[in-house]
Amino acid sequence: MRRGRVMLVEFDSDILRGNPAGDPHVRRIPVWIPPSYDVEPARRYPVLYVLSGFTGRGRMLLNDNAWSPSLDDRLDALVGSGRCGEMIVVMPDALTRYGGSQYLDSAATGPYARHLVAELVPWVDANFRTRGTREARGVAGKSSGGFGAITLGMKHADVFAAVACHSGDMYFEFCYGPDLPRACSVLQEAGGPRAFLEAFERRPQKGKDDFLALNILAMAACYSPDPVAELGIALPFDLATSALRDDVWARWLEHDPLRIAARHAEALRSLALLYLDCGTKDEFHLHHGARRMTRELTRLGVTHTYEEFDDGHMNVPYRYDTSLPMLASALGA
Amino acid sequence: MRRGRVMLVEFDSDILRGNPAGDPHVRRIPVWIPPSYDVEPARRYPVLYVLSGFTGRGRMLLNDNAWSPSLDDRLDALVGSGRCGEMIVVMPDALTRYGGSQYLDSAATGPYARHLVAELVPWVDANFRTRGTREARGVAGKSSGGFGAITLGMKHADVFAAVACHSGDMYFEFCYGPDLPRACSVLQEAGGPRAFLEAFERRPQKGKDDFLALNILAMAACYSPDPVAELGIALPFDLATSALRDDVWARWLEHDPLRIAARHAEALRSLALLYLDCGTKDEFHLHHGARRMTRELTRLGVTHTYEEFDDGHMNVPYRYDTSLPMLASALGA
Amino acid sequence: MRRGRVMLVEFDSDILRGNPAGDPHVRRIPVWIPPSYDVEPARRYPVLYVLSGFTGRGRMLLNDNAWSPSLDDRLDALVGSGRCGEMIVVMPDALTRYGGSQYLDSAATGPYARHLVAELVPWVDANFRTRGTREARGVAGKSSGGFGAITLGMKHADVFAAVACHSGDMYFEFCYGPDLPRACSVLQEAGGPRAFLEAFERRPQKGKDDFLALNILAMAACYSPDPVAELGIALPFDLATSALRDDVWARWLEHDPLRIAARHAEALRSLALLYLDCGTKDEFHLHHGARRMTRELTRLGVTHTYEEFDDGHMNVPYRYDTSLPMLASALGA
Amino acid sequence: MRRGRVMLVEFDSDILRGNPAGDPHVRRIPVWIPPSYDVEPARRYPVLYVLSGFTGRGRMLLNDNAWSPSLDDRLDALVGSGRCGEMIVVMPDALTRYGGSQYLDSAATGPYARHLVAELVPWVDANFRTRGTREARGVAGKSSGGFGAITLGMKHADVFAAVACHSGDMYFEFCYGPDLPRACSVLQEAGGPRAFLEAFERRPQKGKDDFLALNILAMAACYSPDPVAELGIALPFDLATSALRDDVWARWLEHDPLRIAARHAEALRSLALLYLDCGTKDEFHLHHGARRMTRELTRLGVTHTYEEFDDGHMNVPYRYDTSLPMLASALGA
């Protein structure tokens, strides 16, 4: 079997330079080059951007595991067996100090959507033999990466023509809501977001509550930045009184794919592929959001593919075996 | 040490007869008679009603445990050592098929508040040598029992003059909110509330999710009965779509002690004792509610005692060692 | 339905007076008196002794639970429905500071087997209208109580003619072996058995590791007392080096029902009933022991009844619904 | 900072060809080349072999994680900061279908020790500018990799002069013993080792019990191969009766570093560095083994470095920050 190869691009981002969270502007971005690339020098390829989940970055998609192939091994197998057409696959790094950026522009983390759309996409088109058209460009991801994919599909349908959203964040009341009280406790006990974050970074071993609180802090950084608040982040609860802040929560909901699908209906209808799935035992209750979303998409007249699978939220990269061939096909690979 | 004695009263309730949930109207209610009762035949005593938590009834307060005294043993020790005055202690049974009644009147479970106030209290006064005045009558409880105690203190301050609320349900967004998504999943998978309940009752071993879903179902039965809904219970989410139902939730909030304290401020100010505590690691996040409540009570000019302790929600009956002497003293024991 | 009644006997034990663990010699022992007892004054009854599990004593069998009847309620239902003959049921208290005595005589805890056989049995026969014969006397229990029951059936078959052993401790390598390393860690960290025990007793909240270590300490107190060791207890590992002590372990194995069945084969064959069961998911791996035991009993020509049920170790008192009628029948009730 | 680079060597092993477990004989082996390698063409380097833990292979050491550097990033940082001398670092792949080989020769898995010592080491010396002497060759690892490292240090001290054993498998009674009963249950329920293994491989999601049973099966494959048994593996218990098999267990103990240290004392004394550590909260109880080992090494006159750290078994690659500089120094880097 001919394998593709992975190039680890060291990308120096102008757009991320001086980002407010102090994260690096130089990122190592893996690019999977399909097997025929080096032997068919005139051929041009569609491009798929695969977005990592929370706490992840592109390199993590290549992590080795004895029983679950890394994304490059998975692509080798799919393409090698003829089940999937050849694409260039780019694995961006939008990781932040908070564990993620949700692939959004935020005054608290940085302009990560802009970095992807206005900087990385053109660079890839300029440096690889891509087709360079919207019709041959897709975006996929799982969890926060799924959120990123469907959000980019709504807001940048001029850039991406195919979207796969695996177990993506949506129906925020169900997926984030349950964690707010515990996050509030953890942040209070730590002495506030900054003290929490610094202690978190120092701790060699991070626990379950650490990630729960970090996740809520990160979502606040992405959805409700606030220049006058500590770390530039408005939390959805008042740390002094534990009272929920409806005004902040309303800002979160402005990013809930389920809430905003209707206003992006035209963009969604323009997609060549919109693939959506979720596990029926999702520990973050995302199957409720996925079910509501497929219903909403249908109501809006958005053609899409919806699947449920009998599993939870973690360790489900095998779902790419389903979406990658569909993406390749939709992108004309 | 002289011990008190426990009488197990078989109480035939007119008010609970034919209750909508089909629960028994005959209840076995333990009454702890203090040591001097039988030797001082002219003496009259204050009465304390101790309300059990969710899934409990009065008899459960007597359960034996190698390292945690039952309520009667605890009273024996407190009274025997002189740390607590003598009271008659009544342990009502307001258990329902759903695991509890929150000591409220509900069209889905039955008139449990009325049973307590209009039936049990007079019966106790008629059948034991109680003082029979509001000033000598108190109510205490933990968790759902704490909710019951403070709610009775608000709504029936003419009946009870002293209240102890241990780890009581309040700030519903924090204490019930996080369980809604999972409860929605469980009830959907079971095929609805009735199917869930019947399967629950058949299962010899009940699991964590069982109790989580039962709790939400019970709270709905208590807070949002609805004659046209299955089992007469409106759920705070739409089982068909998983969407939250704001109208139902608003009915729940009408029972949140934190929300309604202001409108019962006068009643609360009339109490001889209002004792409130919570563990700082409460797994149901009740410490947030307790902290908000003490702040609210202070704002309303309600004199009260507030304590926090370094523990969680479960297995904390030792807190009665603190509240019982205060209650006895407030009731003139 | 006619109910039986529970007498709570305050038993002052000569044999337990001055026991080495400093536990009380006065015990409150519930005795369930069957419904006909008070109306048929000439009738004599078989007696069943029901032995509690680790951390338990007789009163705990009466603990109330919303969905699992207490032993008295269970007897009321079984006898009331005619499924079970009438017996007097005695619920001994052999609890110690260590959480149990395994119903054995031990120099570290006290002479609990002797207390049962030489003191409690005669007292019951003297104070209740029992038949007073071995043929009308049985013993049952679950977990450590199951161990006690089968052990008494081996060693005191002259006293008991029927035995029910639910999920009883046996095949010690499998049921205790896995906990030795963790118990060793916990005891080392606590500063030894005495320091552990005193801290355990002080802690209001006891955790999983606490009970794990207490259990191993208790078993050592029962199986390998040693007058020169701390607390009079030889542990199966050297606390200084963590090395296993084969000599101590060999003493434990001398109490393993599986190991000693052969030498008590005649006693076992003399039983009118030997009932044995275990859950197939027993968290202490006792199903392995139970399976080996039924095989061994068959090899030894011991008639017995063996059942497995689809459940774990905890919360299985419903198994008494199966064994109680068989015991009553075997005892001629 | 100058970085080293990772070469992913595709190694075609003669020795592993046709191995009994049917695992590939072509392995992808990462080799970290230090920063100066390409700019100092005459320089020769010590070599360190880093052995993965159970379920791992060399590539896994490079896995990306947001807060825990991969081994190459860790080496870049250590070498770049001057805290660690430059070495070539080889990350072997001795993974098998069972999750590992313990870096031993076994008739059930294959000749993995021989592959390392007789094939990989010479190949590395032939293809990289290594010093090529025993004095400049070390081996390190964690968990099963730590076991491999110390075992190679005992049995192949002619090949390796420095050893670091992090949280290594030893004191088998404590580290494997507790898992035998559960593994026995899981294998019985699956219908034997082969059926278990095939079901395991099919299941997309592997659970805690899966890995527990796989681990015991793998250890049996490594320690007690048996040509006449199913899969060529003798288990330490009889699957038909659940009885422990002392003969098989005795074969396991022949591989326990703690048991066999004395007979390899001379080899151990010949090492330039023997570094040993363990977390004080090791979930596999390995701190007991480590403490016994340091005591045994001292008794045998083996100079070594022993450290404990306040952590458990998982997610402790930061321990390499301590051992790598010591290894580099001992190897003359």
Side-chain angles (χ1 to χ4, degrees), chain B:
Chain B
M1 189 183 82
R2 276 187 318 163
R3 280 204 192 118
R5 60 184 167 88
V6 173
M7 276 187 57
L8 195 61
V9 172
E10 193 137 323
F11 190 92
D12 191 333
S13 165
D14 283 332
I15 286 176
L16 296 182
R17 194 181 307 264
N19 64 73
D23 287 302
H25 60 94
V26 179
R27 305 288 177 120
R28 284 188 273 172
I29 301 177
V31 179
W32 184 80
I33 311 292
S36 70
Y37 192 92
D38 295 331
V39 295
E40 303 185 26
R43 184 168 166 187
R44 294 195 159 267
Y45 297 84
V47 186
L48 177 70
Y49 293 80
V50 180
L51 310 181
S52 309
F54 187 64
T55 78
R57 56 188 163 196
R59 291 161 65 197
M60 224 168 286
L61 297 167
L62 305 179
N63 280 359
D64 190 40
N65 179 296
W67 293 280
S68 176
S70 55
L71 187 57
D72 54 327
D73 284 0
R74 198 174 292 280
L75 284 160
D76 285 341
L78 286 170
V79 169
S81 68
R83 287 158 54 207
C84 181
E86 296 194 47
M87 311 178 276
I88 292 167
V89 178
V90 182
M91 306 168 213
D93 174 356
L95 184 62
T96 71
R97 184 185 186 189
Y98 300 104
S101 65
Q102 298 295 92
Y103 307 94
L104 295 174
D105 296 334
S106 152
T109 60
Y112 284 89
R114 201 147 55 84
H115 159 62
L116 287 183
V117 167
E119 192 178 48
L120 186 61
V121 165
W123 185 90
V124 167
D125 286 336
N127 287 275
F128 293 90
R129 295 197 315 275
T130 68
R131 296 215 187 125
T133 60
R134 177 249 187 198
E135 282 65 35
R137 198 179 295 116
V139 61
K142 184 237 156 187
S143 197
S144 284
F147 168 90
I150 199 167
T151 298
L152 288 166
M154 289 182 188
K155 298 186 179 172
H156 297 280
D158 54 321
V159 178
F160 302 101
V163 167
C165 168
H166 297 287
S167 308
D169 299 16
M170 55 186 73
Y171 194 6
F172 287 2
E173 293 91 340
F174 266 36
C175 75
Y176 304 136
D179 287 345
L180 297 185
R182 186 79 199 113
C184 182
S185 292
V186 172
L187 293 174
Q188 285 173 341
E189 285 160 20
R194 176 173 285 116
F196 163 77
L197 196 61
E198 289 170 359
F200 173 87
E201 288 169 347
R202 276 194 305 271
R203 254 195 296 284
Q205 208 65 267
K206 288 104 164 84
K208 198 185 156 193
D209 270 351
D210 282 331
F211 285 112
L212 181 153
L214 186 75
N215 186 48
I216 294 301
L217 181 58
M219 296 307 113
C222 299
Y223 302 146
S224 51
D226 178 355
V228 304
E230 188 174 318
L231 294 174
I233 299 171
L235 294 167
F237 35 73
D238 183 326
L239 274 187
T241 66
S242 302
L244 288 168
R245 289 187 56 186
D246 291 342
D247 56 332
V248 174
W249 185 247
R251 294 182 61 197
W252 286 41
L253 294 183
E254 284 298 298
H255 292 278
D256 186 342
L258 184 62
R259 294 263 178 162
I260 63 175
R263 75 178 80 146
H264 297 285
E266 198 174 345
L268 290 166
R269 282 191 290 260
S270 79
L271 296 174
L273 173 72
L274 174 53
Y275 175 88
L276 193 73
D277 73 11
C278 197
T280 56
K281 300 169 183 163
D282 193 285
E283 293 84 354
F284 296 94
H285 318 294
L286 290 165
H287 47 300
H288 294 287
R291 287 167 188 171
R292 293 191 70 189
M293 182 59 102
T294 183
R295 197 182 295 257
E296 174 73 348
L297 292 172
T298 301
R299 188 182 73 84
L300 297 171
V302 177
T303 305
H304 65 286
T305 299
Y306 178 65
E307 295 191 10
E308 295 191 356
F309 53 92
D310 179 32
D311 209 337
H313 191 75
M314 308 310 290
N315 308 318
V316 293
Y318 59 84
R319 294 304 303 171
Y320 283 117
D321 288 350
T322 298
S323 62
L324 289 171
M326 297 175 68
L327 286 158
S329 170
L331 298 172

Side-chain angles (χ1 to χ4, degrees), chain A residues 2 17 30 50 57 64 69 92 103 122 138-139 147 161 181 184 191 210 212 218 225 260 265 295 311 326 328:
Chain A
R2 277 187 317 164
R17 194 182 306 266
V50 180
R57 55 188 164 197
D64 190 41
Y103 307 94
V139 61
F147 168 88
C184 181
D210 283 330
L212 182 154
I260 62 174
R295 198 182 295 258
D311 210 336
M326 297 176 68

Side-chain angles (χ1 to χ4, degrees), chain A residues 3 10 28 55 57 59-60 63-67 73 95 200 204-206 211 214 311 314-315, chain D residues 3 10 28 55 57 59-60 63-67 73 95 200 205-206 211 214 311 314-315 318:
Chain A
R3 281 203 192 118
E10 193 137 323
R28 283 188 275 171
T55 76
R57 55 188 164 197
R59 290 160 66 195
M60 225 168 283
N63 280 0
D64 190 41
N65 179 297
W67 292 281
D73 284 0
L95 183 63
F200 173 87
Q205 208 64 268
K206 287 105 165 83
F211 285 112
L214 186 75
D311 210 336
M314 309 311 289
N315 308 317
Chain D
R3 281 202 191 119
E10 193 136 324
R28 283 188 273 171
T55 77
R57 54 188 164 197
R59 290 160 66 197
M60 225 168 284
N63 280 358
D64 189 42
N65 178 298
W67 292 280
D73 283 0
L95 183 63
F200 173 87
Q205 207 65 266
K206 287 106 163 82
F211 285 111
L214 186 75
D311 210 336
M314 308 310 289
N315 308 317
Y318 61 83

Side-chain angles (χ1 to χ4, degrees), chain A residues 5-302:
Chain A
R5 61 183 167 87
V6 173
M7 275 187 57
L8 195 61
V9 172
E10 193 137 323
F11 190 92
D12 191 333
S13 164
D14 283 332
I15 286 176
L16 297 181
R17 194 182 306 266
N19 64 73
D23 287 302
H25 60 93
V26 179
R27 303 289 175 120
R28 283 188 275 171
I29 301 177
V31 179
W32 184 80
I33 311 291
S36 71
Y37 192 91
D38 294 332
V39 294
E40 302 184 27
R43 184 167 165 187
R44 293 195 160 268
Y45 298 85
V47 186
L48 178 69
Y49 293 80
V50 180
L51 310 181
S52 310
F54 187 63
T55 76
R57 55 188 164 197
R59 290 160 66 195
M60 225 168 283
L61 296 167
L62 304 179
N63 280 0
D64 190 41
N65 179 297
W67 292 281
S68 175
S70 55
L71 187 57
D72 54 329
D73 284 0
R74 198 173 291 280
L75 284 161
D76 285 341
L78 286 171
V79 168
S81 68
R83 286 158 56 207
C84 181
E86 296 193 47
M87 310 178 278
I88 292 168
V89 178
V90 181
M91 304 169 214
D93 174 355
L95 183 63
T96 70
R97 184 185 186 189
Y98 299 104
S101 64
Q102 298 295 92
Y103 307 94
L104 295 172
D105 296 334
S106 152
T109 60
Y112 284 90
R114 201 147 56 81
H115 159 63
L116 287 183
V117 166
E119 191 177 49
L120 187 61
V121 165
W123 185 89
V124 167
D125 286 335
N127 287 275
F128 293 91
R129 295 199 314 277
T130 68
R131 295 216 187 123
T133 61
R134 178 249 185 198
E135 282 65 34
R137 198 180 293 116
V139 61
K142 186 237 153 187
S143 197
S144 284
F147 168 88
I150 199 166
T151 299
L152 288 166
M154 289 182 189
K155 298 186 179 171
H156 297 280
D158 54 322
V159 178
F160 302 101
V163 167
C165 167
H166 297 287
S167 307
D169 299 17
M170 55 186 73
Y171 194 5
F172 287 2
E173 292 90 341
F174 266 36
C175 74
Y176 304 136
D179 287 344
L180 297 185
R182 186 79 199 114
C184 181
S185 291
V186 172
L187 293 173
Q188 285 172 341
E189 285 159 21
R194 176 172 284 117
F196 163 77
L197 195 61
E198 289 170 359
F200 173 87
E201 288 169 346
R202 276 194 305 271
R203 255 195 296 284
Q205 208 64 268
K206 287 105 165 83
K208 198 184 156 195
D209 270 351
D210 283 330
F211 285 112
L212 182 154
L214 186 75
N215 185 48
I216 294 301
L217 181 58
M219 296 308 112
C222 299
Y223 302 145
S224 51
D226 179 354
V228 305
E230 186 175 319
L231 293 174
I233 299 172
L235 294 167
F237 35 72
D238 182 326
L239 274 186
T241 67
S242 303
L244 287 170
R245 290 188 55 186
D246 292 341
D247 56 332
V248 174
W249 184 248
R251 294 182 62 197
W252 285 43
L253 294 183
E254 284 298 297
H255 292 278
D256 187 341
L258 183 62
R259 294 263 178 162
I260 62 174
R263 76 178 79 147
H264 296 286
E266 199 175 346
L268 289 166
R269 282 192 290 261
S270 79
L271 296 174
L273 174 73
L274 175 53
Y275 174 89
L276 193 72
D277 73 11
C278 197
T280 56
K281 300 168 184 163
D282 193 285
E283 292 85 354
F284 295 94
H285 318 295
L286 291 165
H287 46 301
H288 294 287
R291 288 167 187 170
R292 294 191 69 190
M293 181 60 101
T294 182
R295 198 182 295 258
E296 174 73 349
L297 292 172
T298 300
R299 188 182 73 84
L300 298 171
V302 177

Side-chain angles (χ1 to χ4, degrees), chain C residues 29-41:
Chain C
I29 301 178
V31 179
W32 184 80
I33 310 292
S36 71
Y37 192 92
D38 294 331
V39 294
E40 302 184 26

